[in-house]
Amino acid sequence: DVTPPENRARGMGLLGMAFHPDWPQTEELFLYYTASGGTPYYNRVSRFSLGGNGLLDQLRSCVNPC
């Protein structure tokens, strides 16, 4: 769930996005975002792949430390 938290004044939500270095041969996308799992909020990096239906499927998430 990458829905941004209600309070965006603290720099929360989607913080960054990057394509795999071998794009488009490797159709993977990395998102860096603030996730809410209660308090406190934490930053997460998630890797997604492009599915046959054009939607992203989450492959793996990493929270600091990984």
Side-chain angles (χ1 to χ4, degrees):
D1 179 18
V2 293
T3 305
E6 292 178 15
N7 186 350
R8 298 181 190 183
R10 297 183 194 144
M12 298 179 183
L14 183 61
L15 303 172
M17 180 181 81
F19 291 99
H20 190 282
D22 291 329
W23 184 275
Q25 289 78 18
T26 305
E27 294 181 328
E28 293 180 357
L29 175 71
F30 299 86
L31 298 180
Y32 178 54
Y33 58 96
T34 303
S36 61
T39 10
Y41 294 105
Y42 53 92
N43 293 334
R44 171 181 282 181
V45 175
S46 294
R47 181 174 58 147
F48 296 85
S49 71
L50 189 62
N53 57 4
L55 299 176
L56 295 176
D57 298 318
Q58 186 170 357
L59 298 174
R60 181 167 191 256
S61 289
C62 180
V63 177
N64 189 14
C66 222

